[in-house]
């Protein structure tokens, strides 16, 4: 992206709370990454936790590469500055013809971060369309500030507590962020978004990467992150090293410990544990 396009992208993001689409991988690279992930999924390694829960970039080299993707980081730098941490990653996978959905919510609700300078990159590993349950956003809602949420723990809801924002939802204003494999969307931590079920015959696989500036603080406990660009002059997050190879035993041990820490943050104060 040229300097001028980058400025236009940042202006769109500031106004709407999202930007889409951004091509970050070729279709072939996205397919290779998908294969690598699905090989590991097929092994159903119990200790990894359901669907390789949080931070799978700590154990799979293709995902470690993706969080450091040059095109992605150039865009993120234009939004939150040059010193960037990858706080966490998570797959949002809906199987073919799957009732799984994501209720309307703001990411900021349970993350414990002291800043709104948090950007999610949602990278498509398979076609994300209206039919397959693409992510939907309500433009401009990131400017409303933090809204209350109701915890539903509804079956098929992919969110940790099945949380739903308590606000009037203008469905007619929602935008479907349709993406081809290898394309990404970017969204603000306060933007109201969600998605419907997958009615297509392929899986809908979205890999989310949450980026924060190194100045961010975690208010709910000890936390860790990967420095992906620039310098960390703050040290608020313990550093997370990359895996030397896929499922490297030492990396798996670090991943499991990081998941435990991460869960204690995401479920702080929860009546029970959802997904
Ligand atoms: O994948 C989806 O449909 C929703 C993703 C999401 O809620 C998020 O990235 O925060």
């Amino acid at each position: 992206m040229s300097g001028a396009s980058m400025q236009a992208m940042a202006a769109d993001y500031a106004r709407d709370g999202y930007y889409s689409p951004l091509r970050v991988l070729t279709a072939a690279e996205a397919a290779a990454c998908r294969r690598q992930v699905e090989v590991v999924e097929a092994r159903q390694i119990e200790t990894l936790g359901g669907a390789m829960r949080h931070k799978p970039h700590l154990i799979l080299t293709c995902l470690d590469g993706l969080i450091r993707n040059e095109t992605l980081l150039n865009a993120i730098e234009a939004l939150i500055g040059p010193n960037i941490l990858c706080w966490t990653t998570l797959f949002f996978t809906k199987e073919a013809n799957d009732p799984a959905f994501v209720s309307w919510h703001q990411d900021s609700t349970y993350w414990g971060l002291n800043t709104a300078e948090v950007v999610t990159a949602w990278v498509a590993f398979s076609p994300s369309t209206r039919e397959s349950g693409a992510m939907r956003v309500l433009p401009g809602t990131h400017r409303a500030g933090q809204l209350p949420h109701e915890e539903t723990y509804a079956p098929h809801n992919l969110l940790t507590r099945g949380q739903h924002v308590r606000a009037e939802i203008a469905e007619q204003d929602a935008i479907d962020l349709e993406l081809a494999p290898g394309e990404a969307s970017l969204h603000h931590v306060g933007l109201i978004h969600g998605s419907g079920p997958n009615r297509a015959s392929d899986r809908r696989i979205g890999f989310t990467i949450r980026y924060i500036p190194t100045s961010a603080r975690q208010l709910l406990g000890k936390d860790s992150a990967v420095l992906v660009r620039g310098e960390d002059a703050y040290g608020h997050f313990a550093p997370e090293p990359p895996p030397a190879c896929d499922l490297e035993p030492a990396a798996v041990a670090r991943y499991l410990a990081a998941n435990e820490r991460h869960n204690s943050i995401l479920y702080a104060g929860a009546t029970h544990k959802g997904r």
Side-chain angles (χ1 to χ4, degrees):
M1 226 189 261
S2 68
S5 326
M6 199 67 88
Q7 271 188 353
M9 182 277 292
D12 283 1
Y13 178 90
R15 183 191 61 227
D16 299 331
Y18 73 95
Y19 180 82
S20 184
L22 178 69
R23 177 150 296 277
V24 296
L25 296 176
T26 64
E29 287 167 339
C33 220
R34 174 178 176 170
R35 266 195 307 279
Q36 203 173 336
V37 168
E38 287 183 335
V39 163
V40 174
E41 273 182 335
R43 287 172 58 186
Q44 293 189 323
I45 305 168
E46 200 50 47
T47 51
L48 293 185
M52 288 188 288
R53 209 46 194 155
H54 304 285
K55 306 196 180 214
H57 61 282
L58 296 181
I59 50 171
L60 286 190
T61 52
C62 69
L63 302 180
D64 176 67
L66 187 48
I67 66 171
R68 301 167 197 274
N69 177 282
E70 188 76 7
T71 308
L72 206 43
L73 289 181
N74 290 344
I76 300 298
E77 178 168 346
L79 303 179
I80 62 171
N83 300 309
I84 305 171
L85 295 170
C86 167
W87 175 52
T88 191
T89 60
L90 179 64
F91 278 105
F92 279 86
T93 302
K94 297 173 188 166
E95 301 302 330
N97 300 303
D98 186 350
F101 71 101
V102 175
S103 47
W104 293 109
H105 70 286
Q106 294 173 303
D107 291 335
S108 47
T109 314
Y110 301 109
W111 286 3
L113 297 167
N114 74 333
T115 174
E117 283 190 296
V118 184
V119 185
T120 290
W122 195 107
V123 184
F125 279 16
S126 65
S128 189
T129 61
R130 267 187 97 108
E131 190 191 14
S132 69
M135 190 165 73
R136 316 188 73 208
V137 299
L138 291 170
T141 49
H142 63 303
R143 289 188 251 110
Q146 182 63 57
L147 298 165
H149 283 62
E150 190 182 335
E151 300 177 9
T152 71
Y153 296 95
H156 305 305
N157 192 326
L158 292 179
L159 298 180
T160 50
R161 309 180 193 210
Q163 62 267 30
H164 192 292
V165 66
R166 265 200 227 126
E168 200 67 37
I169 298 297
E171 293 266 354
Q172 70 280 6
D173 297 338
I175 305 285
D176 292 291
L177 302 186
E178 296 197 308
L179 298 171
E183 288 184 332
S185 60
L186 306 176
H187 70 265
H188 185 280
V189 72
L191 186 73
I192 298 180
H193 60 288
S195 65
N198 181 3
R199 298 193 176 86
S201 55
D202 189 12
R203 312 175 84 194
R204 192 222 66 163
I205 307 171
F207 180 61
T208 58
I209 313 173
R210 323 293 194 179
Y211 292 106
I212 55 176
T214 52
S215 57
R217 279 184 187 276
Q218 174 53 257
L219 303 175
L220 297 178
K222 279 200 165 52
D223 211 342
S224 50
V226 181
L227 180 66
V228 286
R229 181 169 281 185
E231 289 176 6
D232 183 359
Y234 299 90
H236 295 159
F237 291 76
E240 293 173 327
C245 58
D246 285 350
L247 301 177
E248 179 204 9
V252 171
R254 289 195 296 269
Y255 158 85
L256 293 173
N259 263 266
E260 213 159 287
R261 275 195 305 274
H262 204 63
N263 278 328
S264 71
I265 288 165
L266 295 181
Y267 290 105
T271 51
H272 58 287
K273 198 167 170 226
R275 281 176 183 265

